[in-house]
Amino acid sequence: MNIFKLSNKSNPEEWTKSNTPGLEEIHRVPFKREDPIHFIIENNVNTLFDLEVVQHKYRSLSFLGEEFEFDSLCWDNNDKNFVIIEYKVKRNTSLIDQGMSYLNTLLNRKYDVLYKLNENIDNTIKIDQVNWDSTKIIFISQEFTKFQLNSVSFKNIPFELWEIKRFSNDTISV
């Protein structure tokens, strides 16, 4: 697919055969590192997903004693649930198992994440006020495998896949 922008701003209702703007091609500019994706999403997480960031790079121990680091631990104040956001700069084949491990860790450390929520967002949410069954993970990447895209079609699966793309005209699509 080719993407173009109009060479000047004008009203399409006023276009004529001799007075139509030209087209300028817009090129895709891939992200080279994960951090810029992380920062643009986290700084706009309320606009994009109606979430609040609880903590950037939240660390927690799994039930096996492994330390995991969630890229963004977020809170959905409308649905009263936690959302983990993970960023990938390129296609990653172990996405779903990573997501399941992170969800398992969060659900096994309910008091820890609730403490972090109350500490950082100045809330007094109690453990029975959290909709734990709606906890989910959002993966944001420039691309996903066909298997990953197909796997999220199940009803009530706790994963969302969002593609992010950057273009030469300083436009981002999510």
Side-chain angles (χ1 to χ4, degrees):
M1 170 192 341
N2 294 329
I3 300 174
F4 299 92
K5 75 172 193 164
L6 298 174
S7 60
N8 63 35
K9 293 182 180 184
S10 62
N11 182 351
E13 302 301 320
E14 298 172 359
W15 292 354
T16 63
K17 184 166 178 70
S18 60
N19 185 24
T20 303
L23 298 177
E24 297 175 9
E25 189 165 5
I26 297 173
H27 302 280
R28 187 159 168 246
V29 181
F31 290 97
K32 294 180 180 168
R33 296 181 14 254
E34 187 177 292
D35 284 345
I37 298 171
H38 192 150
F39 300 144
I40 192 78
I41 298 297
E42 204 168 74
N43 288 333
N44 294 283
V45 74
N46 187 272
T47 301
L48 293 167
F49 301 111
D50 199 19
L51 300 173
E52 293 178 70
V53 175
V54 174
Q55 185 168 334
H56 171 83
K57 302 277 189 183
Y58 177 78
R59 292 181 180 190
S60 185
L61 289 178
S62 74
F63 77 98
L64 293 175
E66 299 287 329
E67 184 175 74
F68 290 141
E69 183 177 82
F70 310 159
D71 287 339
S72 299
L73 176 63
C74 299
W75 174 249
D76 184 333
N77 200 44
N78 296 318
D79 292 336
K80 303 295 186 219
N81 68 296
F82 285 96
V83 177
I84 299 168
I85 303 179
E86 281 299 309
Y87 311 95
K88 303 295 178 196
V89 75
K90 59 184 179 182
R91 189 169 27 181
N92 185 314
T93 57
S94 64
L95 207 63
I96 303 304
D97 55 341
Q98 179 186 12
M100 291 302 287
S101 293
Y102 283 11
L103 285 173
N104 185 44
T105 298
L106 186 144
L107 293 172
N108 281 312
R109 300 288 185 180
K110 291 178 183 177
Y111 286 103
D112 295 342
V113 294
L114 187 61
Y115 175 78
K116 196 52 73 176
L117 170 67
N118 287 324
E119 179 183 61
N120 290 351
I121 299 189
D122 196 27
N123 271 325
T124 55
I125 304 281
K126 296 186 179 7
I127 199 158
D128 61 344
Q129 296 173 311
V130 177
N131 185 357
W132 296 103
D133 291 338
S134 294
T135 301
K136 67 182 175 183
I137 187 163
I138 297 173
F139 288 102
I140 300 176
S141 179
Q142 296 181 100
E143 62 180 321
F144 296 100
T145 69
K146 64 183 177 183
F147 299 111
Q148 291 163 348
L149 292 168
N150 193 50
S151 71
V152 295
S153 65
F154 287 106
K155 187 176 182 181
N156 298 326
I157 193 148
F159 299 114
E160 292 181 12
L161 303 180
W162 289 76
E163 285 188 340
I164 186 167
K165 304 226 184 285
R166 181 174 64 145
F167 298 95
S168 58
N169 66 340
D170 295 326
T171 301
I172 302 277
S173 72
V174 180

